[in-house]
Every structure is written in structure tokens, then in C-alpha cells.
Amino acid sequence: MAMYCKSCGNSITEGARFCSVCGAEVAPPVYGTYAPVPARPLVRPRTGRMIAGVCQGLANQYGWDVTWVRVIAVISAIFAGGLGAIAYVVFWVVTPEEPLALPPGQSYTPSS
Ligand SMILES: [Zn+2]
């Protein structure tokens, strides 16, 4: 995607922070799907879980579709020599449960 200076209209090198012609600051590009991972802990939500909430927690954390997380987990559990199952248990052990102090029926979404 080409970028253009808002001050002089010249094309700007990808990744540059300043226009090479007029020196105006360039707004940083917005990477829609590559947004930084939200700074919140990975938890296993108490709602929407199938087994231990690992897939649901990962889906919540990274904005994935929980259906696909489960499909990939099941496929890797069956076809990758049990790797998916092992990974699931590891996540189950290392990932804390969602705090209980939340109103029921709501997943963990801290106000920013
Ligand atoms: Zn410029």
C-alpha cells in the first residue's frame, strides 16, 4: 500500500516516519489484523467453555473464532501424534481461570 504525505502529497517510503521532501511527520500505518496483542492476561473464561476453557480463552485473547480454535485443536490432537492434546493439557495447567469476581455471564473484558 503506497503512502502519501499529507502536507506535500509526495509518496513516502514504506515504514518511514517522516516525509523525505517536506519533513512532515507521517502517521503510523494501521495494521488492522496485526494489532498488538491486548495487554491482558490469558485466562480460561468460565462461560462458553467446552472442556476447560482453553480454546475459548485463546479465542478471547487473540480475537480468533473459537470454532476454528477447537477444530485446529481437535485436528492436531488426532493427527499430530497427540500434540494438540498435550498442548491443551499444558494450557489447561498454566492458564489461570477467569477471576470469580466478575458478574456471571460475562467474559473477561477489562475496560481500557
Ligand atoms: Zn511531505
Side-chain angles (χ1 to χ4, degrees):
M1 188 185 85
M3 287 168 53
Y4 296 96
C5 175
K6 272 183 277 186
S7 299
C8 69
N10 258 288
S11 65
I12 292 166
T13 315
E14 188 109 13
R17 290 192 57 224
F18 297 94
C19 174
S20 58
V21 178
C22 71
E25 192 169 3
V26 178
V30 177
Y31 298 106
T33 53
Y34 295 101
V37 174
R40 57 177 164 159
L42 178 63
V43 295
R44 290 185 283 113
R46 293 175 182 274
T47 55
R49 56 168 60 179
M50 290 283 280
I51 302 172
V54 171
C55 293
Q56 185 69 60
L58 287 171
N60 287 356
Q61 178 78 351
Y62 298 107
W64 298 337
D65 189 333
V66 67
T67 307
W68 283 109
V69 178
R70 287 185 177 129
V71 166
I72 291 165
V74 168
I75 288 173
S76 59
I78 296 170
F79 295 104
L83 195 68
I86 293 167
Y88 191 95
V89 171
V90 169
F91 272 113
W92 190 343
V93 170
V94 301
T95 307
E97 284 206 291
E98 186 178 36
L100 260 178
L102 292 167
Q106 288 189 15
S107 58
Y108 185 65
T109 47
S111 55
S112 51

